[in-house]
Amino acid sequence: MKPENKLSRVLIVGGTHGNEFTGVYLIKKFEQFPQLINRSSFETLTLLANPQAFIAVRRYINKDLNRCFMHQNLEDLTLSSYEDLRAREINYLFGKNGKTPVDLIVDLHSTTANMGITIIVDNDEPFNLQLAAYLNYINPAIKVCGLGNSGRSYDSLRSIARFGICIEVGSVPQGVLNANFVLKTEAIIYTILDYLELYNQGKVPSFSNNLICYEYIEKIDYPRNEHGEIQAMIHPHLQFKDYEVFHPGDPMFLTFDGQTISYEGNSTVYPIFINEAAYYEKGTAMCFTEKHQITI
Amino acid sequence: MKPENKLSRVLIVGGTHGNEFTGVYLIKKFEQFPQLINRSSFETLTLLANPQAFIAVRRYINKDLNRCFMHQNLEDLTLSSYEDLRAREINYLFGKNGKTPVDLIVDLHSTTANMGITIIVDNDEPFNLQLAAYLNYINPAIKVCGLGNSGRSYDSLRSIARFGICIEVGSVPQGVLNANFVLKTEAIIYTILDYLELYNQGKVPSFSNNLICYEYIEKIDYPRNEHGEIQAMIHPHLQFKDYEVFHPGDPMFLTFDGQTISYEGNSTVYPIFINEAAYYEKGTAMCFTEKHQITI
């Protein structure tokens, strides 16, 4: 490996959304016990990304921090919301031209959807895919999801580093610590750090180069009336069924007056982020993905 | 029955906490289809209690509305937060000396704790207990919980009426509609209204006068450091185990550095509201109850 390909600095981020406690409390733990995340071949930094939102137990104060990192937004000094300021500061600290630029960002999230343990990658960057595949090889229960077409590849916090992945766990309510998911997230972080150590030493073991990846296609909104009010709920048959096969004709929504709305598409999909609390305001009842076996 | 004992007006309340969507959307439905809650022997009113908190998808704007109804607070015109104003308005509309005083308030809530369907009564008022016992008779999966010692009997919204109960469902994340719990809550409301019709007609059928009631004893806080930061999570063995027997020595918390903290009390209890999101700030990790068989 060329020396310039080695990773020299890694950033673990929690609390990009202030009410997703899993990451926040792991960051607090790592800041108290830094030896847990120290490895010999690279430096590990931590960041509580949105501390004011954490104090307020809200996703954000003014706007979603994890949508604030588009290049033109970071350059636009007229943007002055709390999250715009915080995004510029984070970019100044850890971005490519920042004070201590990082090679990899691991961003810790939780969801109210029943997504178990998901590794999200935002693009086809081989390093990200290989890391995700390694985590899936170590723990086959881990799902890998590609959000390349969702916008996250250019506006998310993790987009400011060369490499970036997100650990998404759920179902966890906002403002709640679920110990099992905290422990699982923590274990994955250590696996990632150990992998990076092997990577820097050129000692990553060989493992299957086939990976099941759920690729984002589109988001599906709730049925709404002319005032934007939702008129239906996730159908009970679909609730908690993230990553399960969803066929045309399957029940999708249940209106408040008891009518079932079925999926009218033509293709089989695999919904994720079903009934994520933070997505009601974003017009997203779920995201459709396609299940692909990819070779990395 | 003496005519003055009949109920003439009932109030169904949703959105006392703005991010508990179950009640909010049922109130919207009932306001759109009032015939669903009309009965011949009494009037049924509806109230979206904290509309600004619902818009903000928060429990409250300034303070918890469901703690604002103490008599001395309602009399104190110097209290001017949004919820203080709203509490006075609700009391003016529906309280004992209000514009349209109501005999019974049914307040709709959800919790992130795994409490299934719970009917909460705040005192030993026979009418409330009989109604709760009837609901448990119709659906034995319904738990009945007595919060008489918690403060709710004098500061809750439902305390302003002669009679009051709360329907508490979960686990439901804040800001989420779970269709199954919406449907179950709706069904209980219709059972209540039908019961009141029978009650007013003196035709309530006889049913068992024995009832299992979980009586509130005390709340248990998280272990905290000197800054008030929590130092432990609900132990995985206790998570989701609301209403299950909890013995001295059973694991209660798991600290962030991996230590188990066990229950050190002397008596067997039945925890509820385990890991309720809104109670982190209230210093409540769970509430202990005692399981009693009472005769009504």
Side-chain angles (χ1 to χ4, degrees):
Chain A
M1 188 193 309
K2 295 177 188 171
E4 66 267 26
N5 286 343
K6 283 191 179 182
L7 276 67
S8 58
R9 201 176 285 124
V10 173
L11 179 66
I12 305 173
V13 180
T16 299
H17 297 133
N19 55 11
E20 297 178 4
F21 281 6
T22 309
V24 172
Y25 282 92
L26 283 172
I27 294 301
K28 287 174 178 272
K29 175 173 182 170
F30 297 145
E31 291 179 353
Q32 190 178 358
F33 305 107
Q35 70 279 15
L36 292 171
I37 52 172
N38 284 348
R39 296 296 182 275
S40 66
S41 69
F42 58 91
E43 182 183 11
T44 309
L45 305 176
T46 57
L47 174 70
L48 176 54
N50 198 330
Q52 288 301 322
F54 169 63
I55 290 168
V57 196
R58 291 165 61 182
R59 184 174 176 91
Y60 55 79
I61 299 298
N62 298 127
K63 59 199 287 194
D64 191 333
L65 178 63
N66 212 28
R67 306 291 184 275
C68 288
F69 289 86
M70 280 181 69
H71 185 71
Q72 57 265 49
N73 287 10
L74 292 171
E75 300 275 299
D76 183 353
L77 299 181
T78 68
L79 295 175
S80 61
S81 76
Y82 174 72
E83 277 79 12
D84 287 312
L85 297 176
R86 186 63 174 150
R88 287 207 290 275
E89 181 175 36
I90 290 168
N91 188 48
Y92 171 71
L93 290 171
F94 305 111
K96 292 183 180 67
N97 301 309
K99 196 173 170 189
T100 53
V102 296
D103 300 299
L104 168 67
I105 290 176
V106 179
D107 198 15
L108 311 179
H109 287 259
S110 66
T111 171
T112 63
N114 185 30
M115 287 172 63
I117 308 283
T118 294
I119 301 297
I120 293 175
V121 294
D122 299 323
N123 50 41
D124 295 335
E125 166 59 49
F127 178 89
N128 293 340
L129 283 174
Q130 281 167 15
L131 172 54
Y134 180 79
L135 296 172
N136 171 262
Y137 155 76
I138 296 293
N139 179 357
I142 291 174
K143 296 285 200 301
V144 177
C145 171
L147 286 191
N149 301 317
S150 72
R152 287 305 76 67
S153 61
Y154 56 83
D155 65 5
S156 68
L157 190 156
R158 56 192 181 268
S159 70
I160 65 170
R162 187 157 55 124
F163 309 130
I165 66 165
C166 164
I167 306 176
E168 184 82 70
V169 300
S171 170
V172 182
Q174 297 174 341
V176 159
L177 281 167
N178 178 308
N180 271 328
F181 281 116
V182 173
L183 295 174
K184 287 177 178 173
T185 302
E186 186 179 5
I188 292 172
I189 292 167
Y190 299 145
T191 304
I192 291 172
L193 298 173
D194 294 342
Y195 171 90
L196 300 178
E197 193 85 325
L198 294 172
Y199 176 86
N200 274 351
Q201 296 164 351
K203 293 181 179 172
V204 172
S206 62
F207 56 94
S208 169
N209 57 358
N210 291 320
L211 173 67
I212 300 294
C213 186
Y214 295 82
E215 291 283 352
Y216 174 92
I217 310 168
E218 61 177 331
K219 63 182 191 176
I220 306 297
D221 195 8
Y222 293 92
R224 295 180 189 264
N225 67 12
E226 65 276 19
H227 306 298
E229 295 175 310
I230 68 173
Q231 300 298 296
M233 309 172 276
I234 298 293
H235 195 282
H237 289 180
L238 180 58
Q239 177 68 40
F240 300 129
K241 300 291 177 60
D242 302 75
Y243 291 115
E244 294 192 18
V245 61
F246 195 54
H247 296 292
D250 284 349
M252 186 154 64
F253 296 110
L254 182 67
T255 68
F256 294 118
D257 56 351
Q259 306 300 310
T260 291
I261 297 175
S262 298
Y263 167 44
E264 294 188 341
N266 295 314
S267 59
T268 294
V269 292
Y270 295 79
I272 63 171
F273 285 114
I274 300 169
N275 213 347
E276 159 55 37
Y279 288 179
Y280 279 66
E281 69 174 16
K282 292 185 194 293
T284 304
M286 69 197 77
C287 297
F288 282 173
T289 71
E290 283 177 349
K291 185 178 182 179
H292 292 293
Q293 177 161 327
I294 61 174
T295 303
I296 57 168
Chain B
M1 186 195 306
K2 293 178 189 169
E4 66 269 25
N5 285 343
K6 285 191 179 181
L7 276 67
S8 58
R9 200 177 286 126
V10 173
L11 179 66
I12 305 173
V13 181
T16 299
H17 298 132
N19 54 11
E20 294 176 13
F21 281 6
T22 309
V24 173
Y25 282 92
L26 283 173
I27 294 300
K28 286 174 180 274
K29 175 173 182 171
F30 297 145
E31 291 179 350
Q32 190 178 358
F33 304 107
Q35 71 277 14
L36 291 170
I37 52 173
N38 283 349
R39 296 296 182 275
S40 66
S41 70
F42 57 90
E43 182 183 11
T44 310
L45 305 177
T46 58
L47 174 71
L48 176 54
N50 198 329
Q52 289 299 321
F54 169 63
I55 290 168
V57 195
R58 291 165 61 183
R59 184 175 176 90
Y60 54 80
I61 299 297
N62 298 128
K63 60 200 288 194
D64 191 333
L65 179 63
N66 211 29
R67 306 291 185 274
C68 287
F69 289 86
M70 281 182 68
H71 186 71
Q72 57 265 47
N73 288 11
L74 292 171
E75 300 274 300
D76 183 353
L77 298 181
T78 68
L79 295 175
S80 61
S81 76
Y82 174 72
E83 277 79 12
D84 286 312
L85 297 177
R86 186 64 174 150
R88 287 206 291 276
E89 180 175 37
I90 290 168
N91 188 47
Y92 170 71
L93 290 171
F94 305 111
K96 292 183 181 67
N97 300 309
K99 196 173 170 189
T100 53
V102 296
D103 300 299
L104 168 67
I105 291 175
V106 179
D107 198 15
L108 310 179
H109 287 259
S110 67
T111 172
T112 63
N114 185 31
M115 288 171 65
I117 308 282
T118 294
I119 300 297
I120 294 175
V121 294
D122 299 324
N123 52 41
D124 296 336
E125 167 58 49
F127 178 89
N128 294 340
L129 284 174
Q130 282 168 14
L131 172 54
Y134 180 78
L135 297 172
N136 172 261
Y137 156 74
I138 295 291
N139 179 358
I142 292 174
K143 298 282 201 302
V144 177
C145 170
L147 286 191
N149 300 316
S150 71
R152 285 308 74 66
S153 61
Y154 55 83
D155 64 6
S156 68
L157 190 155
R158 57 192 180 268
S159 71
I160 65 171
R162 188 157 54 121
F163 308 128
I165 66 165
C166 163
I167 306 176
E168 183 82 71
V169 300
S171 172
V172 181
Q174 296 174 341
V176 158
L177 280 167
N178 178 308
N180 270 327
F181 282 116
V182 173
L183 295 174
K184 287 177 178 174
T185 301
E186 186 179 4
I188 292 171
I189 291 167
Y190 299 146
T191 303
I192 291 171
L193 297 174
D194 293 341
Y195 171 90
L196 300 178
E197 192 86 325
L198 295 171
Y199 176 86
N200 273 352
Q201 296 164 351
K203 293 181 180 172
V204 171
S206 62
F207 56 95
S208 169
N209 58 356
N210 291 318
L211 173 68
I212 300 294
C213 186
Y214 295 83
E215 291 282 351
Y216 175 92
I217 309 168
E218 62 177 330
K219 63 182 192 175
I220 306 297
D221 195 8
Y222 293 92
R224 295 181 189 263
N225 67 12
E226 64 276 21
H227 307 297
E229 295 174 312
I230 68 174
Q231 300 297 295
M233 308 171 277
I234 298 293
H235 196 283
H237 289 181
L238 181 57
Q239 178 69 39
F240 300 129
K241 300 290 177 60
D242 302 74
Y243 291 115
E244 295 192 17
V245 61
F246 195 54
H247 297 292
D250 284 348
M252 185 154 62
F253 296 110
L254 181 67
T255 69
F256 293 119
D257 56 351
Q259 307 299 309
T260 291
I261 297 175
S262 298
Y263 168 45
E264 293 188 342
N266 296 314
S267 59
T268 294
V269 292
Y270 295 79
I272 63 171
F273 284 114
I274 299 169
N275 213 347
E276 160 54 38
Y279 289 179
Y280 279 66
E281 69 174 16
K282 293 186 194 292
T284 304
M286 70 197 77
C287 297
F288 281 173
T289 71
E290 283 177 349
K291 185 178 182 179
H292 293 293
Q293 178 162 327
I294 61 174
T295 302
I296 56 170

